[in-house]
Amino acid sequence: MSNARQATLVLGLMAVALTATFAIAADGDRSVTLRSGAIEPGRSAALSQAGESDGPERMVVRFRKAPGLHEKGAVETAGARVVTALPGQAYLVTVPRGREVNLSAIPGVDWAVPYLPQDKISPEIASVASAGADEADVIVLLHLFPDANAAAVAAELTESGLFVEGARSGSRFGRIVLRMAPEQVESVRTELSERNDVFWIGRRHRRTLNND
């Protein structure tokens, strides 16, 4: 298999896997719809969290047609890195720290806006409430950007007082497993979403036997 066909296949598999995790398809408009909500054109870069300015810039780039290998190459030639494909004809992109990249000027791009903390919080985490139905500990899954060091992130979270059950760096994405009381999820989910190394916060539900 040629390198070009391999790259196309990898992007396709990434899109399928990550769409199942945090995205839903949207038809008929120019938005990019994740499970956390819709990302609209015209979002101001000023809305980015000031605390994220120390690291790489995370951007959502939507194209006028479904992007493929040519569009991925154009993004990377401009100086950015494609993290993964998104629904709605888009890529999640990282711009390395200190590099000026005009993503909107790339041929075929419809719009480019910041990927913000609220885009990272799954409905299952957003709905956790200390006064609600959740009584047992919540298993929180932090999915990390490829440039994150999972072991270093785990050490920082442990030092901050969170209980880390596990951490691993995959071939592309890292993951941290946290155990928290519902009230702790309420108090730290926004702070976790503001981390530059986190791209999605999900929940793992426990499996129980039918007669439990």
Side-chain angles (χ1 to χ4, degrees), residues 91-103:
Y91 283 139
L92 179 58
V93 167
T94 287
V95 178
R97 180 182 179 183
R99 185 172 297 175
E100 294 291 334
V101 179
N102 187 357
L103 295 168

Side-chain angles (χ1 to χ4, degrees), residues 18-70:
L18 286 169
T19 295
T21 300
F22 71 102
I24 58 177
D27 297 322
D29 62 31
R30 296 172 60 216
S31 65
V32 172
T33 304
L34 308 183
R35 293 182 58 242
S36 53
I39 301 174
E40 304 285 351
R43 170 186 281 180
S44 172
L47 294 175
S48 297
Q49 291 290 327
E52 295 200 348
S53 61
D54 293 338
E57 189 174 10
R58 316 299 186 178
M59 301 287 293
V60 176
V61 182
R62 186 187 187 275
F63 288 80
R64 297 187 185 94
K65 65 177 183 178
L69 192 63
H70 176 76

Side-chain angles (χ1 to χ4, degrees), residues 78-155:
R81 294 193 300 270
V82 172
V83 176
T84 189
L86 297 176
Q89 304 173 184
Y91 283 139
L92 179 58
V93 167
T94 287
V95 178
R97 180 182 179 183
R99 185 172 297 175
E100 294 291 334
V101 179
N102 187 357
L103 295 168
S104 297
I106 296 173
V109 168
D110 185 9
W111 50 260
V113 300
Y115 184 60
L116 299 181
Q118 63 261 31
D119 301 325
K120 306 176 183 181
I121 303 176
S122 70
E124 296 80 12
I125 292 298
S127 64
V128 172
S130 57
D134 290 292
E135 297 180 357
D137 287 349
V138 177
I139 304 300
V140 178
L141 304 178
L142 296 187
H143 300 273
L144 307 179
F145 279 96
D147 52 26
N149 183 322
V153 174

Side-chain angles (χ1 to χ4, degrees), residues 176-195:
I176 306 291
V177 181
L178 302 167
R179 181 184 296 274
M180 301 185 197
E183 58 269 21
Q184 195 174 23
V185 176
E186 279 190 293
S187 67
V188 303
R189 60 190 167 202
T190 298
E191 180 182 347
L192 291 173
S193 73
E194 291 172 353
R195 290 187 63 101

